[in-house]
Amino acid sequence: MTDLIVIGAGPAGLTAALYATRAGASAIVLDGGAPGGKLNLTAEIENYPGVIQKGPELAYSMYEQCLSFGAQYEYGEVTQIEDKGEHKIVHAGEKTYEAQYVFIATGTKERHMGIPGEEEMSGRGVSYCAVCDGPFFKNKTVCVVGGGNSAIEESIYLSDIVEKVHVIVRRDVLRADQYLISKLNQKDNIEMHYLKKPVSIEVTDNKVSGLVVADSKSGELSTIPTNGIFPFIGLDPMSGFVKDLGIVNEQGYIEVDENQETSVKGIFAGGDVTAKHLRQVVTATNDGAIAGQYIASLLK
């Protein structure tokens, strides 16, 4: 039995464990991947106050700081939480953990395009992380699908590695911040394709060779020759394992109150997996700080 189990080691989860243990609570952090969450997939952090740093570096700093006050980190994919009233049972593979309180910070996962060839070529020309896989396409041509901040950030990042970036946008305008659009316009190897939507992926010799797109108005098909495809068309919350608890909304995001507590007493949540307007590192750490400090106060 421990005081707090944190599920997810992104900024929200690491901050919750930091604040809770610093205030005297015991905590275990569970995650099925490397500490830091999506920070590990981010080239540069430019909008976290006081910090201009590479994502993985900030992730490791948060991780070390979290452990410095006694939090334990364990690898595990959580599949279920049992609410036993005064305590909770967390199932992760063959292991079970018990705690008075649980903080869920599992974040989101990249939405797939759902077109022929995508699943087959995932990891073999289709990638959802430019920072991870961009160097494999040095001096080649790639397509980025999407018109929001993530798509434009990744397009700018890739433009410094590859020969040509084609950006496929379903609408006739970008949804990205003006700051990013200004940076995009400074790149001469990025070509925009508005009012286009992906239809299928062409494969030659077991490699991605083209992206077939349809005109959003006429439906006319055309093919963009490419060596790689990076979809950034949205995110879905990783909350399937708690849907039986009745704490998620219709979109799958977890609903919380001002203390980050769900409708199930003793179960808290924060970060990108929660229903909120702005999903950023700074808002994730805010959620974790509120929950961690509040949980610690309940133990006294």
Side-chain angles (χ1 to χ4, degrees):
M1 174 73 76
T2 190
D3 295 327
L4 170 65
I5 292 175
V6 174
I7 305 171
L14 293 176
T15 305
L18 168 66
Y19 269 74
T21 53
R22 189 171 179 270
S26 58
I28 295 174
V29 181
L30 293 172
D31 198 294
K38 283 190 171 54
L39 282 176
N40 292 307
L41 310 180
T42 306
E44 297 286 342
I45 301 296
E46 298 177 318
N47 56 358
Y48 190 78
V51 174
I52 299 177
Q53 196 173 12
K54 295 185 183 301
E57 293 175 358
L58 180 58
Y60 190 71
S61 296
M62 287 185 174
Y63 170 68
E64 282 197 314
Q65 189 176 14
C66 170
L67 297 189
S68 70
F69 289 99
Q72 299 177 51
Y73 183 87
E74 294 198 21
Y75 179 86
E77 289 279 0
V78 174
T79 55
Q80 184 186 11
I81 300 174
E82 289 187 69
D83 175 28
K84 298 295 185 180
E86 294 299 313
H87 73 284
K88 320 298 175 189
I89 299 176
V90 176
H91 296 266
E94 297 181 355
K95 291 186 177 182
T96 58
Y97 301 83
E98 293 189 43
Q100 283 186 261
Y101 302 103
V102 172
F103 181 74
I104 303 165
T106 43
T108 56
K109 60 182 177 181
E110 291 74 18
R111 190 173 298 154
H112 289 199
M113 297 180 292
I115 61 175
E118 180 178 16
E119 298 304 319
E120 297 88 334
M121 300 309 295
S122 180
R124 294 189 295 160
V126 176
S127 171
Y128 304 90
C129 176
V131 175
C132 309
D133 298 326
F136 292 117
F137 299 92
K138 187 175 181 179
N139 299 326
K140 295 183 178 181
T141 298
V142 300
C143 286
V144 172
V145 181
N149 282 341
S150 294
I152 302 311
E153 285 175 351
E154 302 295 356
S155 298
I156 294 168
Y157 172 78
L158 286 166
S159 70
D160 292 329
I161 300 173
V162 306
E163 181 178 342
K164 182 73 173 284
V165 180
H166 295 277
V167 182
I168 317 304
V169 186
R170 183 183 294 264
R171 304 182 183 184
D172 58 355
V173 293
L174 294 173
R175 293 177 288 110
D177 293 340
Q178 188 57 49
Y179 165 72
L180 290 172
I181 294 174
S182 297
K183 290 183 69 174
L184 178 79
N185 291 335
Q186 295 171 18
K187 299 290 185 176
D188 57 10
N189 64 337
I190 297 179
E191 182 177 343
M192 305 301 297
H193 301 264
Y194 292 102
L195 294 172
K196 297 289 188 293
K197 53 187 178 182
V199 172
S200 64
I201 295 171
E202 290 192 345
V203 179
T204 304
D205 296 330
N206 207 30
K207 295 180 181 179
V208 169
S209 58
L211 178 64
V212 180
V213 298
D215 186 278
S216 298
K217 292 183 176 179
S218 68
E220 182 182 353
L221 299 180
S222 59
T223 300
I224 301 172
T226 185
N227 305 111
I229 300 169
F230 292 83
F232 295 101
I233 57 173
L235 301 164
D236 293 312
M238 297 178 68
S239 61
F241 67 100
V242 293
K243 285 186 177 178
D244 62 318
L245 296 175
I247 59 176
V248 303
N249 62 19
E250 291 182 359
Q251 291 75 41
Y253 290 99
I254 299 175
E255 301 275 3
V256 295
D257 64 15
E258 68 273 12
N259 295 313
Q260 301 298 131
E261 191 168 17
T262 70
S263 57
V264 176
K265 191 172 179 61
I267 297 181
F268 297 74
D272 289 1
V273 76
T274 58
K276 61 198 304 184
H277 294 295
L278 182 63
R279 293 182 173 87
Q280 293 284 295
V281 178
V282 69
T283 61
T285 55
N286 168 79
D287 296 348
I290 290 171
Q293 193 69 28
Y294 181 69
I295 290 168
S297 73
L298 296 176
L299 296 165
K300 296 178 181 179

